[in-house]
Amino acid sequence: FSKVRQSISLKDYINRFMKSLDVSPSAYVAAFVYLRRLEERDGTLCVNSFNVHRLFVTALHLGVKYTEDVGYSSGLIAAIGGLRSAGEVNDLERLMMKMLNYDLFIDPKVF
């Protein structure tokens, strides 16, 4: 996903979103469920310091869209996440949706 390693730790990156977005913890749980599914479904996906931030922001954006009544624009997500543009967020989102077989449903037992 990225040609350069991010200088911000994943913990600080997640905290940036937690401070900037007013969303429930369910959106974060959904994001981690989606990341886990990717890991389980796509044996070729290797999470590393070059892609973990983009994977997280994409999964979180999908999680927000799935769990929240009000969403955030791709432009805002890009700005918070340090991505180039809303278009990049949208491209990553389409790719992740395809990798998830367009299945965002999470069984209530997971929560």
Side-chain angles (χ1 to χ4, degrees):
F1 278 141
S2 179
K3 293 180 181 179
V4 295
R5 185 172 292 151
Q6 300 300 311
S7 59
I8 186 172
S9 72
L10 184 59
K11 178 183 176 182
D12 289 343
Y13 194 69
I14 292 169
N15 282 333
R16 179 191 297 176
F17 281 94
M18 293 178 80
K19 290 176 186 175
S20 301
L21 302 178
D22 183 24
V23 297
S24 70
S26 297
Y28 293 91
V29 172
F32 288 110
V33 168
Y34 299 149
L35 291 172
R36 182 63 161 186
R37 283 184 190 169
L38 286 178
E39 180 183 61
E40 292 170 354
R41 289 184 183 173
D42 186 348
T44 63
L45 179 67
C46 177
V47 177
N48 57 50
S49 59
F50 290 93
N51 64 14
V52 68
H53 296 80
R54 281 180 166 71
L55 287 168
F56 171 76
V57 69
T58 307
L60 180 61
H61 197 209
L62 291 175
V64 168
K65 287 182 173 187
Y66 186 77
T67 63
E68 304 295 315
D69 291 331
V70 178
Y72 291 92
S73 72
S74 297
L76 179 62
I77 297 297
I80 296 168
L83 283 82
R84 289 184 300 262
S85 66
E88 182 179 7
V89 173
N90 294 336
D91 290 343
L92 291 170
E93 189 175 353
R94 278 191 293 276
L95 179 60
M96 186 172 284
M97 287 290 295
K98 185 176 181 180
M99 293 170 73
L100 290 169
N101 297 319
Y102 303 93
D103 178 17
L104 296 183
F105 175 76
I106 301 172
D107 191 302
K109 294 177 208 168
V110 172
F111 286 97

